[in-house]
Every structure is written in C-alpha cells, then in structure tokens.
Amino acid sequence: MWSTRGQFNTRDAESVLPTGQYVYGMPCVSMEYIVLVRVWRPYCDRDTHKWLHGLGGNKECYFNLSIGVYYISWLSSVCFPTIVLVIVLMLDKWLEAKIKKLTAANEKAKWWYYRSRVRRACMVILVIMYAPLTAVILQSFACSNTVPGDFVMDHSQDVFLYDQSQTCDDFIFQTVHFISTIYLALAVIVGPGLLIFQTLHLRKWDLLNKNMALHGYAYESYTRRFCFWEAVPMLRKLIYIAVTDIFPFTPLIQISVHLGLTAVYIILVVVGRPYRKCTWKSTRNIRVIEIHNGFEVLANLSISLLQVGHCSRC
C-alpha cells in the first residue's frame, strides 16, 4: 500500500480540517494507461509477413473483424463509461446536498472523504476506458474513402475497412459514425485538453491544495509543476491508436512511431520526474525517493522491449 499527504482544504471544508492534515490514502501507483503494443498485420500470411500493396494475396485475410463483433465492442466501450459518469454525477450531487445540510465538523469531514473517493474511482475508470473508447471510435472512420484503394475489395461502394461486406452508408453504421464523431470531439480530444486547462488554471491561481478534495483526482499523483500530467498518457494512447487502427500503415511505420513515443516519454519522466514522492505505509519514516518515477521508467522499458520484438518481425 502507498500513502501521501495532501491538503484537504476546500472552500466548504476549510473550517473542518486544518491545512495539511492527512485525511486519505492516495495510491501513488495510479492506473495510468493501457499501452498498445499490438501491430496491425496480416493474419493469413504469418510465415512470410508480406505486406499487401495490391499485388496479390487474399485481402479478406487482412481485415477479419466482423461488423457484429465491432458493434458489440463499440457498445461496451461507449456505454460503460457513459453510464459510470452519469451515475457518479448523480451521486456527487447527492453528496454535495448532504454535506450542505450537515453542521458537525466530523460528519462533514467524513462525507467530504466519501465524495473525494467517489470522484477518484470515477477518474480511474474513465482513464482505463479511454483506450478502448478511442479505438472503437477511430475505427468507425476506417472506410474506403479514407484509406488507399489497394486495401479495398469492393470499389462500387463505401465499405468498412475491417469488414468489407459492410457498407459505411448503412443506417446503423451511419448512426454509429455520428455518435462516434460526438465522442471523438468531446471525450477523446476535448477531454484531455480540458484536463490540462483545469489543472493549469488551478496552479496559476495557487488553488491546487485548496481544491484537493474537489479536483484532486486529476492531479494528486503529480508534482505541482506537472499537475497536468494525467492527460499526457491519454494523448499518447490517442496517437498510438490513430497510427494502428485508423489507417493501414506498414508495421515498420507503426512500430517506429510507437518506439519513438516511448523513448520520448521515458526521457520526459527521467528529466521532469512528474510523480510525487511516495513512502511505504508500513515504514512511513523511511522516504523512498522517486519510487513511482522509477516504476514508470521500468514499465516503459518493458513496453519498448515488446515493441522491439514486434519490430523484429516487421
């Protein structure tokens, strides 16, 4: 288990708890990202790993994601975080109303604690679901009008790249595409941008500590200088998925982009050290310096080895 000390001193709770009092245990090892180390490659020609350039080969073997499986993946990836967000928003409003009715300081502190835990749990779920949500959304744009003609078997209509028996002009697919466009704008692109804006705004006005209970879920794992860091792995996943799923780049290009981003990310972590210092809860008097930054570097070195392994087969 991990612990850090944070300030629980919001506008509504500053009379309840003194500044700097330890009020909750925060996991320093956060669930940062689900890193994609996969490469979009042929399925039938596994021995030679030939890449299709319209010069032969069975194209059906290269795009074998059925539309039914895609719809199931799309529904689960889109609906689950949406339902979680709606439930959490309703619960947060209920907790806010309950805290306003309380008068006892101890009771207010207890319910503020519950509210911060609910928000943090929601943030963890949304960060975990960002990768699958982004993947299914970007895949909905992989139609024959956005990819090279050599990868399309039926040129008479606009077809879905991964199941070319499915036309992109179908009503259900158009509905999926429309909803995906909304989620792409609001959740995939604007979401990380708002996260960066919110944290930098709080830092500018020196409100990071004062608003820890309300907004600490977005920056409590990071130092003041890198309070926006939660959005960096999200944008990194967006680039990974865009290179892998939306356009049929060759495996070599995909792996080159993946390795390049991993190398840049490791350098940023080593030089900037964005994560807050943590201590073992059982040995609180012994400070383990930069342990989370070290784990982050180690994890990304392992990921780079997997990416190099893919590259050796490109």
Side-chain angles (χ1 to χ4, degrees):
M1 296 294 294
W2 303 88
S3 68
T4 63
R5 296 183 180 271
Q7 291 180 337
F8 190 90
N9 189 17
T10 63
R11 181 181 61 185
D12 296 327
E14 56 185 328
S15 60
V16 178
L17 295 171
T19 303
Q21 181 173 346
Y22 176 75
V23 294
Y24 58 84
M26 186 197 74
C28 286
V29 182
S30 59
M31 298 182 182
E32 269 291 275
Y33 47 74
I34 303 174
V35 178
L36 302 178
V37 295
R38 58 193 174 87
V39 176
W40 189 82
R41 58 172 66 251
Y43 291 94
C44 293
D45 201 8
R46 291 187 180 273
D47 294 329
T48 58
H49 300 290
K50 294 180 180 179
W51 187 251
L52 180 63
H53 285 290
L55 300 177
N58 187 357
K59 299 180 182 180
E60 294 178 355
C61 298
Y62 289 76
F63 313 98
N64 67 345
L65 174 64
S66 67
I67 193 64
V69 173
Y70 172 73
Y71 283 155
I72 294 175
S73 300
W74 186 90
L75 282 173
S76 60
S77 300
V78 171
C79 293
F80 178 71
T82 303
I83 293 174
V84 169
L85 183 59
V86 171
I87 293 175
V88 169
L89 288 175
M90 295 173 61
L91 182 59
D92 186 75
K93 288 294 183 181
W94 179 80
L95 289 171
E96 181 183 10
K98 184 175 182 63
I99 292 172
K100 289 181 178 180
K101 296 178 181 179
L102 296 175
T103 57
N106 291 336
E107 285 295 312
K108 278 192 173 184
K110 182 180 71 172
W111 286 99
W112 267 109
Y113 169 78
Y114 292 152
R115 190 181 183 189
S116 64
R117 298 279 290 194
V118 169
R119 288 190 166 207
R120 188 186 310 147
C122 178
M123 185 66 180
V124 170
I125 294 174
L126 294 181
V127 169
I128 292 175
M129 292 302 299
Y130 182 81
L133 175 66
T134 304
V136 297
I137 286 176
L138 292 183
Q139 284 175 355
S140 69
F141 293 88
C143 293
S144 55
N145 59 355
T146 60
V147 300
D150 291 338
F151 295 91
V152 180
M153 292 177 288
D154 185 3
H155 294 274
S156 63
Q157 56 184 347
D158 189 16
V159 296
F160 184 47
L161 178 65
Y162 296 95
D163 184 359
Q164 300 197 15
S165 63
Q166 169 68 33
T167 174
C168 292
D169 297 327
D170 181 74
F171 175 76
I172 297 178
F173 192 90
Q174 284 292 309
T175 303
V176 169
H177 184 79
F178 174 73
I179 298 176
S180 296
T181 304
I182 297 176
Y183 272 84
L184 176 64
L186 298 180
V188 177
I189 298 177
V190 177
L194 286 177
L195 191 60
I196 294 174
F197 174 80
Q198 178 195 27
T199 52
L200 292 180
H201 174 76
L202 292 174
R203 188 183 72 178
K204 178 181 178 181
W205 298 103
D206 199 22
L207 297 174
L208 291 176
N209 290 331
K210 187 175 181 179
N211 289 273
M212 182 67 72
L214 277 177
H215 306 296
Y217 58 87
Y219 57 81
E220 59 189 356
S221 297
Y222 312 105
T223 61
R224 173 183 173 84
R225 182 180 179 185
F226 291 96
C227 58
F228 59 88
W229 193 260
E230 190 70 58
V232 174
M234 299 172 70
L235 295 176
R236 179 186 177 193
K237 285 182 288 187
L238 174 60
I239 298 175
Y240 276 179
I241 297 171
V243 173
T244 304
D245 286 74
I246 195 173
F247 192 88
F249 291 106
T250 63
L252 181 60
I253 294 178
Q254 296 175 38
I255 286 298
S256 298
V257 174
H258 287 193
L259 278 173
L261 287 177
T262 302
V264 172
Y265 186 82
I266 292 175
I267 294 173
L268 290 176
V269 172
V270 171
V271 176
R273 290 176 292 181
Y275 295 94
R276 295 174 65 182
K277 297 178 181 180
C278 303
T279 60
W280 293 103
K281 201 169 186 178
S282 57
T283 57
R284 191 169 296 171
N285 294 328
I286 302 176
R287 178 172 294 279
V288 185
I289 301 175
E290 311 296 352
I291 191 169
H292 187 69
N293 290 308
F295 282 158
E296 188 78 350
V297 172
L298 180 61
N300 279 272
L301 287 176
S302 302
I303 291 168
S304 65
L305 291 177
L306 295 175
Q307 293 172 338
V308 170
H310 278 295
C311 188
S312 64
R313 299 192 298 269
C314 294

